[in-house]
């Protein structure tokens, strides 16, 4: 077990790490992602990173693409010290141009911009310097690649040779004759370059000699040791859980590390899904052994939501602010109790389920003069408690969190759960949120999700729910005229939640869901299906 004097270990200290220096390309994070898929650990830092301030040694460095032109006066440039380190360097697009600029200042605007697919011809130099061929080892001589650039090299910088060309880019790939420096004009990190991952593997594994040992099993052991070292023998941690995958995985990790010194709090805001508070409680306490307090604040939330009709933002604000108040009150209670017990120290830490994309977002390089945003945190959340943040998932991507969850024994159902908004079904009840409206929306949603699961579609669909529309329509039920409400079903497929398309259910499926909702949910006489993509629609309705 770790002791207080032991310093917490960061992943880059134990895993061979490829450092991605970000010049602001929209694909930069994908480079990191692809390397981790190869079980090679990778981290991204802004291109302005001073290497003398880096406390660890990368096995290799990748310079990403970027929207600038290297010859601009205010273009961002890499710390020239990278070329003094004894590690391989790969420049991608802007990164290639940056290497060329460093060695020869020979980059200019091309006559023709090149976006999209291109055919690459690989040039081999076997016999002379074999290392120059290493990047394209095992790849075909003709490759399909994805390009997105307007600038080009006018000629090769001194000591470089061409290793690939396209019809428009005579220097689509280059390598240094003596040193392990490579540059490519195309993007290997996007799926439109089918063999791109192999190329990244050639660089990371063969050229940089990085071990492929980044596995979740190892991460768990190390992260548990790190949490213990950080928190110490007595320290206590508090954190909110929602029943979603991120907060559950983070909570389980804390429980493994420090047991009951981690206090999880679930706030029942009255707008969770049907029977959700009970279910989350069951799973977290009985199945996962987490020290959990459930605060039933539903009446308080619903009381405040009363009368709020036409202003979705107001609903969101009420729920967000009340959540903070309730959580804070509970945290103070738990802290007071903890202070009274002799076996543990004070609550000093607040758990947050921050993921790597949030970290990347906060450090990513947005412009030569742009100040880099500081990472958002809820430090101010628990005013007066002066809690330090602990973020055990901050190095992980979403799918890595899921893998970690599975590793920690979290039920599949929870690991693959669709995202659920903080304001809950309050923003799926258009119009006023009353206990009766909550009942209707909950029951309809439950039937819809149940049928999606029964049809084996839950994992295919990214997010699905039933919304309650604030209008009444006429229907006839049991020969009697009824005037009841309308449920709108929404189900979308998306890979990043930035854009989304509605899911094309077959008619039989919709028929069944509609029949069940109208029959089983009192107060509903019609069901419609939302066929709006995002954009222009959002995923949620409010
Ligand atoms: N801005 C540079 C160009 O147009 C680099 C582009 C990129 O890195 N995708 O060539």
């Amino acid at each position: 077990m770790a002791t207080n004097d032991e310093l917490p270990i960061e992943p880059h200290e134990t895993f061979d790490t490829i450092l991605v220096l970000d010049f602001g390309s929209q694909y930069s994070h994908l480079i990191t992602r692809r390397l981790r898929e190869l079980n090679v650990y990778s981290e991204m830092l802004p291109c302005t990173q001073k290497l003398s301030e880096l406390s660890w040694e990368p096995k290799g460095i990748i310079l990403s693409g970027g929207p600038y032109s290297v010859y601009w006066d205010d273009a961002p440039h890499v710390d020239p010290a990278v070329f003094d380190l004894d590690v391989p360097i790969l420049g991608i697009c802007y990164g290639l141009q940056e290497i060329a600029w460093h060695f020869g200042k020979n980059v200019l605007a091309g006559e023709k911009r090149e976006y999209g697919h291109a055919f690459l011809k690989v040039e081999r130099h076997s016999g002379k310097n074999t290392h120059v061929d290493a990047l394209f080892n095992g790849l075909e001589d003709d490759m399909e690649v994805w390009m997105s650039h307007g600038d080009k090299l006018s000629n090769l910088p001194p000591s470089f040779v061409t290793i690939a060309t396209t019809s428009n880019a005579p220097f689509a790939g280059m390598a240094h004759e003596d040193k392990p420096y490579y540059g490519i004009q195309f993007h290997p990190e996007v799926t439109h370059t089918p063999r791109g991952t192999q190329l990244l593997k050639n660089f990371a594994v063969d050229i940089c000699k990085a071990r492929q040992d980044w596995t979740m099993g190892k991460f768990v052991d190390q992260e548990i040791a790190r949490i213990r070292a950080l928190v110490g023998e007595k320290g206590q941690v508090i954190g909110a859980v929602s029943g979603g995958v991120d907060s559950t995985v983070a909570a389980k990790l804390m429980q493994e590390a420090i047991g009951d010194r981690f206090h999880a709090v679930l706030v029942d805001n009255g707008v969770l899904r049907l029977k959700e508070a009970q279910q989350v409680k069951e799973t977290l306490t009985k199945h996962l052994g987490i020290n959990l307090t459930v605060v039933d604040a539903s009446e308080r939330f619903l009381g405040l939501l009363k009368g709020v009709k036409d202003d979705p933002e107001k609903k969101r604000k009420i729920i967000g602010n009340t959540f903070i108040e309730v959580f804070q009150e509970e945290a103070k209670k738990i802290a007071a109790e903890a202070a009274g017990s002799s076996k543990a120290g004070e609550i000093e830490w607040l758990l947050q389920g921050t993921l790597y994309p949030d970290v990347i977002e906060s450090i990513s390089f947005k412009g030569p003069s742009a100040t880099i945003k500081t990472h958002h945190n809820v430090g101010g959340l628990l005013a007066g408690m002066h809690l330090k943040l602990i973020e055990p998932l901050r190095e992980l991507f979403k799918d890595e969190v899921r893998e970690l969850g599975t590793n920690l024994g979290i039920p599949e159902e929870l690991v693959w759960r669709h995202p659920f908004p903080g304001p809950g079904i309050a923003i799926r009840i258009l119009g006023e949120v009353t206990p009766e409206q909550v009942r209707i929306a909950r029951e309809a949603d439950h039937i819809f999700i149940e049928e999606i699961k029964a049809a084996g579609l839950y994992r295919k669909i990214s997010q699905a729910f039933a919304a309650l529309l604030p209008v009444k329509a006429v229907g006839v039920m049991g020969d009697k005229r009824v005037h009841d409400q309308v449920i709108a079903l929404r189900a979308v497929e998306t890979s990043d939640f930035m854009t989304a398309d509605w899911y094309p259910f077959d008619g039989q499926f919709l028929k069944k869901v509609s029949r069940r909702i109208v029959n089983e949910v009192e107060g509903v006489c019609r069901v419609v299906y939302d066929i709006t993509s995002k954009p222009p629609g959002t995923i949620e309705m409010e």
Side-chain angles (χ1 to χ4, degrees):
M1 163 133 181
T3 68
N4 260 339
D5 330 314
E6 248 172 78
L7 280 177
I9 332 125
E10 304 285 343
H12 52 231
E13 288 167 44
T14 22
F15 295 99
D16 285 350
T17 305
I18 302 291
L19 171 62
V20 177
L21 290 174
D22 172 38
F23 284 90
S25 152
Q26 53 184 327
Y27 308 127
S28 300
H29 69 286
L30 285 179
I31 307 171
T32 306
R33 202 54 224 97
R34 295 287 166 261
L35 290 167
R36 291 201 194 175
E37 279 164 15
L38 293 164
N39 300 102
V40 173
Y41 187 64
S42 169
E43 274 183 27
M44 195 175 115
L45 288 172
C47 56
T48 45
Q49 175 66 42
K50 289 267 163 291
L51 288 165
S52 55
E53 287 165 12
L54 200 66
S55 61
W56 50 281
E57 269 179 42
K59 287 292 275 190
I61 295 180
I62 297 183
L63 310 179
S64 84
Y68 319 96
S69 288
V70 284
Y71 46 81
W72 290 350
D73 286 343
D74 53 358
H77 293 293
V78 69
D79 180 353
V82 288
F83 298 104
D84 301 333
L85 292 178
D86 199 15
V87 300
I89 300 173
L90 170 65
I92 296 176
C93 204
Y94 185 93
L96 156 97
Q97 297 162 3
E98 176 67 2
I99 295 174
W101 192 250
H102 175 82
F103 286 99
K105 298 273 179 294
N106 39 12
V107 179
L108 40 83
E111 308 79 61
K112 223 169 89 193
R113 296 197 289 187
E114 200 173 17
Y115 296 112
H117 290 281
F119 284 94
L120 190 82
K121 275 220 162 304
V122 176
E123 275 185 29
R124 319 247 179 213
H125 300 257
S126 50
K128 285 191 274 166
N129 281 323
T130 47
H131 87 271
V132 299
D133 290 335
L135 198 61
F136 288 103
N137 258 352
L139 293 165
E140 301 75 17
D141 288 343
D142 294 289
M143 270 177 74
E144 194 184 340
V145 298
W146 181 263
M147 294 275 198
S148 169
H149 70 116
D151 297 334
K152 65 173 194 186
L153 271 54
S154 52
N155 39 49
L156 282 178
S159 304
F160 278 81
V161 295
T162 303
I163 55 172
T165 57
T166 67
S167 55
N168 185 49
F171 311 112
M174 65 174 194
H176 193 283
E177 282 178 340
D178 310 311
K179 298 185 177 206
Y181 298 159
Y182 304 84
I184 47 179
Q185 187 60 75
F186 57 93
H187 289 273
E189 68 276 26
V190 302
T191 49
H192 305 290
T193 299
R195 300 283 275 146
T197 304
Q198 179 64 40
L199 186 145
L200 290 171
K201 183 175 177 209
N202 287 351
F203 177 70
V205 180
D206 298 343
I207 297 170
C208 301
K209 306 268 180 281
R211 276 171 297 163
Q212 292 173 281
D213 58 356
W214 167 248
T215 60
M216 272 308 133
K218 276 204 187 160
F219 174 78
V220 173
D221 295 345
Q222 196 183 297
E223 191 53 24
I224 287 175
R226 197 180 77 93
I227 293 168
R228 286 178 183 158
L230 258 185
V231 174
E233 297 282 338
K234 288 194 156 187
Q236 306 215 43
V237 182
I238 190 164
V241 290
S242 65
V245 53
D246 302 344
S247 68
T248 310
V249 171
K252 180 62 188 162
L253 204 50
M254 294 309 296
Q255 189 268 338
E256 293 270 334
I258 59 168
D260 282 356
R261 285 186 289 134
F262 170 62
H263 306 263
V265 177
L266 172 71
V267 176
D268 182 351
N269 58 12
V271 283
L272 300 176
R273 285 170 282 205
L274 190 69
K275 303 202 185 92
E276 184 162 36
Q278 289 137 270
Q279 266 163 16
V280 173
K281 185 173 177 185
E282 280 267 320
T283 315
L284 265 60
T285 54
K286 289 216 182 104
H287 194 94
L288 300 174
I290 292 167
N291 175 13
L292 171 76
T293 310
V294 181
V295 191
D296 182 0
S298 38
E299 278 182 23
R300 179 160 162 187
F301 280 88
L302 290 174
L304 290 163
L305 286 169
K306 205 167 160 209
V308 181
K309 283 195 181 77
D310 306 315
D311 190 352
E313 272 313 295
K314 198 163 170 199
K315 279 186 193 171
R316 287 177 178 269
K317 275 204 191 98
I318 290 173
I319 295 173
N321 293 341
T322 312
F323 174 85
I324 294 172
E325 281 167 29
V326 173
F327 185 57
Q328 177 152 326
E329 288 162 17
E330 198 53 39
K332 287 200 171 132
K333 270 191 229 160
I334 292 175
E337 275 166 35
S341 91
S342 52
K343 62 177 191 317
E346 276 176 39
I347 296 191
E348 289 171 77
W349 298 87
L350 175 69
L351 172 70
Q352 227 196 320
T354 317
L355 302 194
Y356 201 50
D358 305 323
V359 176
I360 283 183
E361 167 68 16
S362 68
I363 60 173
S364 113
F365 186 73
K366 293 281 161 57
S369 59
T371 42
I372 290 156
K373 228 184 1 177
T374 49
H375 183 51
H376 68 89
N377 69 59
V378 289
L381 171 72
L382 299 186
M385 286 188 74
H386 307 295
L387 297 176
K388 293 174 272 186
L389 279 187
I390 186 160
E391 302 173 301
L393 311 180
R394 62 173 286 125
E395 340 277 358
L396 306 183
F397 286 99
K398 188 83 177 185
D399 44 350
E400 290 176 319
V401 172
R402 293 206 161 108
E403 196 183 331
L404 172 57
T406 308
N407 245 286
L408 290 167
I410 294 173
E412 279 282 288
E413 241 198 36
L414 216 156
V415 165
W416 288 98
R417 205 149 194 219
H418 288 173
F420 185 63
I425 57 174
I427 55 166
R428 295 171 176 179
I429 294 168
L430 283 64
E432 190 179 1
V433 178
T434 64
E436 176 62 1
Q437 294 295 76
V438 171
R439 176 195 63 81
I440 296 175
R442 264 184 183 160
E443 289 179 6
D445 183 71
H446 188 74
I447 293 172
F448 186 35
I449 300 297
E450 197 171 75
E451 289 299 334
I452 287 178
K453 285 186 176 161
L457 297 172
Y458 191 76
R459 294 257 296 256
K460 270 190 131 161
I461 292 168
S462 312
Q463 198 164 332
F465 58 88
L468 180 56
L469 305 184
V471 287
K472 284 194 163 184
V474 171
V476 54
M477 288 166 101
D479 277 347
K480 220 175 83 207
R481 178 187 184 277
V482 291
H483 193 214
D484 272 341
Q485 298 189 83
V486 183
I487 283 287
L489 305 175
R490 180 126 173 95
V492 296
E493 282 176 296
T494 171
S495 56
D496 56 8
F497 292 89
M498 302 303 287
T499 60
D501 210 351
W502 53 278
Y503 187 78
F505 289 114
D506 70 51
Q508 289 307 321
F509 175 87
L510 290 172
K511 226 179 227 183
K512 185 166 182 202
V513 174
S514 150
R515 192 172 53 232
R516 278 198 61 194
I517 290 177
V518 174
N519 283 331
E520 295 173 36
V521 185
E522 181 135 16
V524 178
C525 73
R526 267 170 208 247
V527 177
V528 298
Y529 185 45
D530 184 344
I531 50 167
T532 322
S533 59
K534 171 184 180 173
T538 49
I539 293 175
E540 294 294 338
M541 289 218 191
E542 280 198 336

